[in-house]
Amino acid sequence: MVHSLEKKALLICAVLFSSSLPAAPTASLYSTVFSILSYAKWNTAAPAVCAVNNPPLAQQLLINAPDHSNYRISAIQSNEIKTSACQILIFSTLSPKEEQYLLNTAATFPALSISTNNAECEIGSAFCLYKRSQNFAFKVNLESLTQARVHVDPRVLLLAKSVESSK
């Protein structure tokens, strides 16, 4: 029944908000990623973060991870997604169509997806980071977020609404 209530709450949010919502900016790409992840509930104490096709990004995530975080951060190639145990997929080199294809064919859910190369956020990843002035912000793709099957605190959507209404 709780799962049913969560689905209903997410659907209500989907009706109230557009399918792609921007959220409050933060100073760095890495702080934005870890801020988003802090709103998610994981079924494991040490969720696996996988930077897809970008080993330098994985290295920077390791360097910039919050103190005392339990994330297991690694780099994988897109052809390894299906056999990986990634709860978080971070895309940075693929097109939105390529992201969507991999999410539909290779990802094992629950898995949250984040993109640094998908400014429109209409297809592909659930969260899409973009540069706004000197900061990073993100948009939420509600359809992909629902597909992810990861419980994400709805305050992320409220952040998006407050930024949208202040434009």
Side-chain angles (χ1 to χ4, degrees):
M1 179 158 172
V2 172
H3 184 66
S4 176
L5 290 174
E6 288 175 7
K7 275 185 158 178
K8 287 180 183 175
L10 190 56
L11 288 174
I12 290 169
C13 288
V15 171
L16 294 175
F17 302 110
S18 68
S19 65
S20 180
L21 303 169
T26 60
S28 82
L29 175 83
Y30 313 107
S31 64
T32 304
V33 167
F34 290 112
S35 292
I36 291 168
L37 296 180
S38 73
Y39 283 94
K41 288 186 182 178
W42 306 105
N43 294 334
T44 179
V49 177
C50 299
V52 179
N53 296 347
N54 192 340
L57 176 61
Q59 185 63 34
Q60 288 301 310
L61 288 166
L62 277 168
I63 291 168
N64 291 283
D67 292 340
H68 311 294
S69 69
N70 294 327
Y71 297 110
R72 293 176 292 124
I73 301 169
S74 62
I76 65 167
Q77 295 301 308
S78 56
N79 63 351
E80 298 172 303
I81 292 172
K82 191 174 266 189
T83 58
S84 74
C86 302
Q87 284 89 24
I88 301 130
L89 296 166
I90 302 182
F91 297 106
S92 61
T93 61
L94 301 175
S95 72
K97 284 183 181 181
E98 291 168 319
E99 290 175 17
Q100 188 67 57
Y101 176 77
L102 289 171
L103 291 169
N104 288 342
T105 62
T108 304
F109 295 101
L112 193 62
S113 55
I114 299 173
S115 179
T116 65
N117 193 36
N118 184 354
E120 296 304 313
C121 210
E122 293 175 356
I123 63 170
S125 293
F127 292 93
C128 304
L129 284 56
Y130 65 95
K131 186 111 174 170
R132 189 168 100 187
S133 299
Q134 298 300 314
N135 296 310
F136 283 88
F138 63 92
K139 293 181 181 179
V140 180
N141 179 319
L142 292 174
E143 187 175 326
S144 292
L145 183 58
T146 301
Q147 179 184 5
R149 296 197 314 248
V150 172
H151 176 75
V152 178
D153 190 304
R155 288 179 289 183
V156 169
L157 300 176
L158 294 175
L159 283 174
K161 184 177 185 336
S162 67
V163 169
E164 183 68 16
S165 61
S166 68
K167 283 185 173 179

